[in-house]
Amino acid sequence: MQPLSDLFSHQGDITRQALAPLADRLRPRNLEEFVGQQEILGPGRLLRRAIQADRVGNLILHGPPGVGKTTLARIIASTTRAHFTSLNAVLAGVKDLRVEVEAARQRLERHGLRTLLFIDEVHRFNVAQQDALLPWVENGTVTLIGATTENPYFEVNKALVSRSRLFRLQPLEPRDLRVLLKRALADEERGYGGLAVELSSEAADHLLDVAGGDARSLLNALELAVESSPADDTGVIRIDLEIAEQSIQQRAVLYDKQGDAHFDTISAFIKSLRGSDPDAALFWLARMVEAGENPRFIFRRMLISAGEDIGLADPQAVVVVEACAAAFERVGLPEGLYPLAQAALYLAGAEKSNSVLGFFDALKSVRATNRQDVPSHLRDANRDGAAFGDGVGYRYPHAYAEHWVAQTYLPAALQGEVFWLPGRLGWEGTLQERLQRRRAAQLSAAAESSADSGLLLSSGPDDAGLERWLQRQAGAEGERLDQLRQRFWDGARWQRQDRTLIVAARSLLWALDPLEASPEGGVLIGVNAAADLERLQAQSQLLDSLRSPRLLLLEPTSPRKLAAAIEPGERFEWLVARSPFQGLAPALWLQWLQQLNQLCSPRAQWRLLLSEPLLGPAGALTELLEKPGDPSNVSKDPSLTNLLRRLTLQEEGWLAPHPGATELSAALEELGWAVELESWQEFLTLELSETALQRWFGPEAPYRRRLEAAMSAGEVNRLEAGFRDRIGARLPQRLRHNRLIARRPAQSPSPSPQAGEANRDQP
């Protein structure tokens, strides 16, 4: 005979089942009845295979309400051979947890039976409760199946998460909800199959739409509609659109201020502002307001967006948001929604730029660069500057035209780095051209300084790679080279369609003027080394507003390949170069001259700059030692004095350029050009450093090889010691610049644009 208590318990289960809500009665009992989540439960999917094989390990299911988390746990319970037990984290405490764990331990020890512990709303467990569960999950006493509407990475113990497989359940699709709706109307045992219920298509569509992927919400609405609607005279319960709207009048806004919906919605809002979509921005803003989000939080995020996504394209953006936030504080709700929406619409409509992110590039460089010494000319000269030269060489920008002067402000190891790239739009777009021109001038100055230092001590055809001996300080080169550029182009008359060919280039310095003056023409730059090509390609990216030049890698020993590399029939109005043929044999540089001559248009003009050092290292040290008032007593070391004087005479032959201005002028005249030659000298200084000594006296240094061919090893060592004794001294340097301008004989020295047109077809 069955105990009376069991009879009452069984009857209670029947009664509860009959009185249970429709959503609970219709829970799927197996995987075949489960609807939706095909991405994780479809045939062959991992979770489905694990359930069918009864190999479900620690599992955490997370997703919005009504998508099947608890249902899936019950299906696992019905298919597993392990003992299944469950707790609700809202109601259970540490005591309940310990009872379940102890029972699981005994089952495992006595019967070898595993225990699956299902904890619904697992995120509701506090830290102490989750910590209490961890050891038993870790040693396998229980296998955890957790369900949560929150992101487990934020709400669940990280140790539990790391030991569990996570599955994210998505809101149900309308087609899935329609299956559940039809099942509820057709199931005679658990649904309304025993009743005559007629659901109009409009009512069904409304229920599916407003349910928003929540099966529980859909079934609760259907239950309310059916239970509250009387049957008509024919015994049919008719559910039309009006009844459906009364049953589920408003879609529930899925929004938890501490959960995924909170972060996902504000993310969608900010991305809509960034994407300049005012409609989407207002939608996500309205969703947050409707869900009760704190407007102060929204304003904070809009202030961030004003700096990150709009920045200097519209500097007023942050001002507008700040003003709207202040207005909101003064007005309050509901009228404060006006300035809230106004700020959002302003940001959505503003021009966009993220150029301020350049700060983080600078931050990376700060963390990655070893040498961050402040350049000496930028240091504070008010403390010990007189003793260490701090501040010497600094040029006060307000003392120059436009309150700007080309000098470097970055550490030496970061010369040429670009952290801020202004956008083309808005306020910063007005700065782009001027900033790019100045940056290009500074970059070219840095590169050109190495070109200046690359003046050859000797340039015979058998020794074209001789070491270059002058190295400029980057901080002093910008203004000097800019003045040199202006003098080089002085008197040039441009036309917008002019084409310019620059050969043997090592920087963009000489391309700046034609790039700006001839926007409808073009600039082709030929370089002799792959390293120079790579550097100029990087630099030319900053010149997009000035029409980036074409870059071409040339072979110095194959002048005929130039014509094959350009477009057929292309001719140039300007042929430009600085010391283009250094180190080439006469026959080779004459071939280059003839090849370039064939690429000249009828009104072409040559502009060549030939710079040659007038002092080599020995000559520079001789002048320093013989300078009146110099503390060095030359008479104490007559052997060094005589050695330097003898070597100075030899250096004069080594320094002679090949070809020089005279040879090039004569060659151009033979080709029918009228040549003008202008010469001037420039006086500079070079600090004698260990780096300079290595360039001159290193084991493989060309200058040392030249010395060893001209004197004994003892004399070379004596000379090196003489230089080393004077490290830190500033050696004088003299340069001679020769500007060579060649025109067709029919052209006037300074032709006007009209005159150039008149001479276009003359031979």
Side-chain angles (χ1 to χ4, degrees):
M1 181 177 179
Q2 192 173 15
L4 188 62
S5 59
D6 289 347
L7 292 175
F8 281 114
S9 176
H10 178 67
Q11 184 62 40
D13 290 340
I14 296 176
T15 303
R16 280 192 295 273
Q17 178 65 23
L19 297 177
L22 176 64
D24 188 65
R25 300 199 307 267
L26 279 176
R27 284 187 186 276
R29 292 165 293 192
N30 51 54
L31 288 176
E32 286 66 31
E33 291 184 1
F34 194 90
V35 176
Q37 313 303 334
Q38 290 301 301
E39 293 79 5
I40 61 174
L41 279 173
R45 303 287 188 183
L46 173 64
L47 184 56
R48 187 184 189 95
R49 288 189 283 110
I51 294 173
Q52 292 173 338
D54 193 16
R55 296 180 61 184
V56 177
N58 296 320
L59 191 67
I60 296 181
L61 307 171
H62 71 106
V67 297
K69 299 185 297 298
T70 303
T71 298
L72 189 55
R74 291 187 179 184
I75 291 175
I76 294 174
S78 67
T79 58
T80 183
R81 291 183 294 274
H83 180 81
F84 186 90
T85 185
S86 63
L87 291 174
N88 189 303
V90 176
L91 304 175
V94 174
K95 180 179 179 181
D96 303 298
L97 185 60
R98 288 175 177 169
V99 170
E100 294 294 345
V101 168
E102 177 61 23
R105 186 184 64 79
Q106 293 183 13
R107 290 188 204 99
L108 187 62
E109 292 178 353
R110 296 176 182 178
H111 310 291
L113 183 64
R114 297 181 299 114
T115 298
L116 295 182
L117 175 60
F118 173 63
I119 301 180
D120 200 8
E121 304 293 335
V122 65
H123 65 278
R124 298 284 188 176
F125 268 171
N126 58 35
V127 176
Q129 291 168 315
Q130 293 187 32
D131 287 343
L133 177 63
L134 178 61
W136 309 109
V137 171
E138 194 168 28
N139 64 20
T141 301
V142 297
T143 298
L144 171 68
I145 300 179
T148 174
T149 57
E150 304 300 322
N151 190 328
Y153 286 103
F154 294 100
E155 301 297 335
V156 180
N157 187 309
K158 289 182 173 57
L160 286 177
V161 170
S162 68
R163 289 162 175 79
S164 306
R165 189 179 297 276
L166 274 62
F167 288 97
R168 181 175 183 176
L169 279 66
Q170 302 292 334
L172 298 181
E173 298 290 337
R175 63 176 182 273
D176 300 325
L177 294 176
R178 193 175 295 276
V179 171
L180 293 177
L181 191 61
K182 291 180 179 180
R183 182 182 296 171
L185 295 174
D187 193 311
E188 296 182 1
E189 177 186 354
R190 297 180 293 165
Y192 296 120
L195 299 177
V197 179
E198 183 178 300
L199 182 68
S200 71
S201 59
E202 294 83 0
D205 291 341
H206 176 76
L207 292 176
L208 295 176
D209 177 56
V210 182
D214 186 335
R216 185 181 296 107
S217 176
L218 171 71
L219 296 176
N220 288 344
L222 176 65
E223 182 179 28
L224 178 60
V226 172
E227 299 291 345
S228 62
S229 300
D232 61 12
D233 295 339
T234 61
V236 176
I237 301 175
R238 303 183 187 277
I239 310 297
D240 57 16
L241 178 60
E242 181 179 359
I243 296 175
E245 289 177 340
Q246 293 174 355
S247 301
I248 182 169
Q249 297 180 359
Q250 184 176 354
R251 177 183 285 106
V253 178
L254 178 59
Y255 200 89
D256 187 333
K257 293 182 184 179
Q258 302 301 322
D260 282 355
H262 163 77
F263 293 105
D264 290 344
T265 306
I266 192 64
S267 175
F269 174 63
I270 294 301
K271 289 173 181 174
S272 300
L273 297 179
R274 183 182 299 138
S276 300
D277 189 334
D279 303 309
L282 287 181
F283 172 80
W284 297 117
L285 177 64
R287 175 173 176 174
M288 289 187 288
V289 170
E290 181 68 11
E293 182 62 84
N294 190 338
R296 293 182 179 88
F297 169 75
I298 302 175
F299 273 119
R300 286 197 299 272
R301 293 305 302 266
M302 284 197 289
L303 278 172
I304 296 172
S305 177
E308 178 184 358
D309 299 318
I310 297 172
L312 294 176
D314 187 350
Q316 287 297 312
V318 67
V319 178
V320 170
V321 176
E322 184 65 27
C324 289
F328 178 87
E329 294 294 335
R330 179 172 297 182
V331 174
L333 289 172
E335 291 83 356
L337 295 177
Y338 289 112
L340 183 67
Q342 179 182 349
L345 289 173
Y346 187 92
L347 296 185
E351 300 287 7
K352 302 300 189 295
S353 171
N354 66 346
S355 63
V356 296
L357 295 182
F359 166 77
F360 298 99
D361 293 332
L363 199 59
K364 291 179 182 178
S365 293
V366 168
R367 294 168 178 170
T369 305
N370 292 328
R371 296 297 302 275
Q372 301 180 18
D373 298 336
V374 176
S376 60
H377 68 287
L378 299 181
R379 295 179 180 176
D380 182 11
N382 295 320
R383 294 175 292 121
D384 51 10
F388 295 98
D390 292 347
V392 175
Y394 172 70
R395 294 186 293 280
Y396 188 56
H398 296 298
Y400 294 83
E402 299 183 3
H403 302 270
W404 181 83
V405 60
Q407 65 180 337
T408 56
Y409 297 93
L410 282 170
L414 294 176
Q415 288 302 324
E417 288 288 339
V418 175
F419 299 116
W420 183 47
L421 291 174
R424 297 173 178 269
L425 304 177
W427 177 81
E428 67 179 353
T430 63
L431 302 179
Q432 188 186 52
E433 181 176 344
R434 180 177 63 185
L435 181 62
Q436 288 178 344
R437 281 183 55 80
R438 289 180 174 179
R439 277 180 173 164
Q442 289 178 321
L443 285 171
S444 297
E448 194 69 22
S449 66
S450 64
D452 273 353
S453 66
L455 296 174
L456 297 178
L457 289 174
S458 172
S459 54
D462 59 343
D463 196 15
L466 263 184
E467 179 65 27
R468 306 167 187 273
W469 78 281
L470 294 175
Q471 183 67 40
R472 300 282 182 266
Q473 288 183 336
E477 293 306 315
E479 181 183 10
R480 186 189 72 83
L481 285 174
D482 191 60
Q483 292 174 351
L484 190 62
R485 176 189 63 82
Q486 294 180 29
R487 187 159 185 174
F488 177 77
W489 287 113
D490 183 43
R493 300 292 184 90
W494 302 94
Q495 293 190 23
R496 294 178 60 85
Q497 301 83 9
D498 284 352
R499 295 157 295 184
T500 302
L501 173 61
I502 304 175
V503 295
R506 298 201 65 223
S507 80
L508 297 177
L509 183 66
W510 315 110
L512 295 179
D513 293 79
L515 283 170
E516 181 181 22
S518 304
E520 298 170 13
V523 177
L524 175 62
I525 299 179
V527 297
N528 294 343
D532 292 332
L533 177 66
E534 183 178 354
R535 187 180 68 253
L536 267 73
Q537 286 175 335
Q539 292 181 13
S540 63
Q541 294 177 3
L542 300 176
L543 299 175
D544 52 345
S545 65
L546 302 177
R547 298 180 57 89
S548 296
R550 293 178 291 160
L551 298 172
L552 180 65
L553 182 62
L554 302 177
E555 295 183 26
T557 58
S558 302
R560 299 186 186 280
K561 292 185 178 180
L562 173 59
I566 65 175
E567 297 182 19
E570 185 175 11
R571 297 296 180 265
F572 299 91
E573 283 69 43
W574 299 87
L575 279 296
V576 179
R578 183 179 187 188
S579 302
F581 309 125
Q582 289 286 72
L584 298 182
L588 191 55
W589 69 257
L590 284 172
Q591 289 180 23
W592 269 107
L593 210 60
Q594 293 168 356
Q595 185 67 45
L596 294 172
N597 186 62
Q598 296 175 10
L599 300 179
C600 292
S601 75
R603 59 182 184 88
Q605 179 180 138
W606 292 75
R607 290 223 171 196
L608 304 178
L609 182 65
L610 309 176
S611 301
E612 57 186 271
L614 300 178
L615 288 175
L621 185 57
T622 300
E623 284 201 3
L624 176 67
L625 297 179
E626 293 180 348
K627 182 179 178 181
D630 188 86
S632 299
N633 192 340
V634 183
S635 61
K636 292 182 178 180
D637 196 350
S639 62
L640 177 60
T641 304
N642 294 332
L643 186 60
L644 287 171
R645 288 173 178 169
R646 176 161 57 90
L647 185 57
T648 299
L649 295 176
Q650 291 179 305
E651 282 183 342
E652 291 179 1
W654 299 349
L655 294 173
H658 304 283
T662 303
E663 291 88 349
L664 283 174
S665 298
L668 285 170
E669 288 173 350
E670 288 185 9
L671 293 173
W673 295 87
V675 180
E676 299 175 10
L677 186 62
E678 178 189 9
S679 299
W680 69 95
Q681 288 193 24
E682 185 178 17
F683 298 89
L684 303 168
T685 60
L686 171 70
E687 181 178 355
L688 183 55
S689 63
E690 184 63 36
T691 302
L693 289 177
Q694 286 300 316
R695 289 202 307 270
W696 299 336
F697 297 101
E700 301 299 325
Y703 184 67
R704 186 184 189 93
R705 293 200 302 269
R706 177 73 72 173
L707 293 175
E708 290 173 345
M711 59 184 63
S712 67
E715 289 176 323
V716 174
N717 293 335
R718 179 68 191 91
L719 183 66
E720 180 182 359
F723 275 94
R724 192 171 296 280
D725 289 342
R726 291 160 179 82
I727 284 184
R730 301 196 67 84
L731 299 180
Q733 180 197 357
R734 294 201 303 274
L735 291 176
R736 178 187 291 118
H737 299 294
N738 300 282
R739 186 183 71 163
L740 188 153
I741 299 177
R743 301 182 180 91
R744 302 287 187 183
Q747 294 182 15
S748 62
S750 299
S752 64
Q754 293 77 9
E757 290 293 337
N759 293 327
R760 180 185 299 273
D761 298 324
Q762 294 185 14

